[in-house]
Amino acid sequence: METPAAYADLEKNPPETEVVGREVVIFDEIDSTNTYGLEHGTDGMVIVADRQTAGRGRQGRTWHSAAGLGLWFTVVFAGKGEGLPFAAPLAVRDALAERCELRIKWPNDLLCGDKKVCGILLERRNDITVVGIGLNVHHVPDDFPPELRDKAGSLESETGGRWDRCRILRDILTQLDGKVMLIHDQGIEPLRAPWVEACNLVGRRIQCGTHRGTVTDIDSHGAIILNTSGGVQTIYSGDITYLDGD
Ligand code: BTN
């Protein structure tokens, strides 16, 4: 199978990293890079596809993964993936920081302005954890299904510049590798603290599912501690809406 031209350079020049990208597998088309990683992954393997036919998002949703428009990839880690929920969004944010300012929306969406440009899906099976990253790069608004158009954006639609998917991928892999090595050496705290700060949630009024209230803390697992009229709730996953403005 021929490597999609967008990623050919990655095969010739693999990333200079410790763990992430030990092996890079590139597909023109696949059902889901996360599924491949869960079934065939080894520690540090990166799976990237130009198109996914069954890309998965959080909360059981579909992730639209058309050919030529975005960066759809998965990084595989042996073990339980401690700290990855913090490392992954910070790695994406930091990799792109020179050209655009991304905000992290709990738990790990990345927004450019008020548009979601990147989603992250962590999954675990047996002793493998996969970090699936979907980054909208070249989309114009019409490339998104109508119901997503006012919420989703791409790097190009939001910054007005041209972006190169292979370069972005290389930069994210390098950032993620650095953060994974930091966790290896120092544990999760050096990443948890900046992630909590980047989420900017403590003190805010939010709604998540049927729960409404004020965030009083984020615990060591990244869960929201929410003070509601019915008592304190711990929220591990879901989609939040800010009730006190964006
Ligand atoms: C979200 O819902 O925000 C998470 C989206 C994650 C999408 C990525 S694309 C690469 C990887 N493979 C998948 O099937 N999903 C993730």
Side-chain angles (χ1 to χ4, degrees):
M1 189 194 66
E2 210 172 299
T3 303
Y7 300 113
D9 185 59
L10 209 63
E11 276 199 332
K12 278 188 255 144
N13 306 303
E16 289 176 16
T17 46
E18 298 279 335
V19 178
V20 172
R22 271 183 184 153
E23 188 182 350
V24 180
V25 187
I26 306 173
F27 291 95
D28 230 337
E29 177 180 302
I30 197 171
D31 51 358
S32 154
T33 55
N34 267 26
T35 303
Y36 186 95
L38 289 168
E39 289 174 357
H40 308 287
T42 53
D43 194 30
M45 181 190 274
V46 172
I47 304 114
V48 55
D50 192 40
R51 170 171 187 255
Q52 296 184 116
T53 54
R56 292 199 299 279
R58 290 195 302 110
Q59 313 283 316
R61 287 186 288 249
T62 297
W63 183 262
H64 298 273
S65 322
L69 292 182
L71 174 52
W72 325 125
F73 72 104
T74 294
V75 185
V76 181
F77 295 94
K80 295 193 189 339
E82 229 200 337
L84 290 175
F86 313 132
L90 290 172
V92 175
R93 182 197 68 176
D94 293 351
L96 304 180
E98 268 183 24
R99 293 190 59 197
C100 83
E101 194 179 321
L102 294 179
R103 283 189 298 140
I104 298 175
K105 182 174 181 193
W106 185 92
N108 48 26
D109 288 350
L110 287 128
L111 308 188
C112 188
D114 62 350
K115 297 282 170 67
K116 174 169 169 172
V117 295
C118 179
I120 299 178
L121 177 65
L122 282 116
E123 296 181 293
R124 196 188 301 164
R125 188 182 293 174
N126 303 324
D127 224 15
I128 286 280
T129 303
V130 297
V131 180
I133 300 182
L135 182 62
N136 303 328
V137 180
H138 301 304
H139 301 63
V140 296
D142 278 356
D143 291 320
F144 295 107
E147 68 278 12
L148 293 183
R149 269 176 214 159
D150 58 342
K151 291 193 200 125
S154 73
L155 290 178
E156 291 191 353
S157 69
E158 299 316 297
T159 66
R162 284 298 294 171
W163 292 75
D164 176 77
R165 285 182 291 164
C166 192
R167 165 86 196 273
I168 301 169
L169 177 57
R170 189 184 293 284
D171 289 348
I172 294 175
L173 298 181
T174 305
Q175 278 289 338
L176 188 57
D177 191 67
K179 294 186 192 323
V180 167
M181 296 317 291
L182 187 63
I183 294 170
H184 178 264
D185 294 343
Q186 297 180 32
I188 64 168
E189 204 44 39
L191 291 173
R192 197 188 74 83
W195 174 82
V196 169
E197 195 184 329
C199 288
N200 186 27
L201 262 189
V202 176
R204 301 205 55 185
R205 277 189 61 71
I206 62 155
Q207 172 148 6
C208 189
T210 54
H211 304 299
R212 264 170 178 255
T214 302
V215 179
T216 56
D217 202 0
I218 300 210
D219 76 9
S220 61
H221 305 287
I224 291 175
I225 311 299
L226 192 66
N227 199 358
T228 74
S229 55
V232 175
Q233 299 283 343
T234 304
I235 299 175
Y236 292 94
S237 64
D239 293 318
I240 61 167
T241 308
Y242 302 114
L243 300 174
D244 52 7
D246 281 337

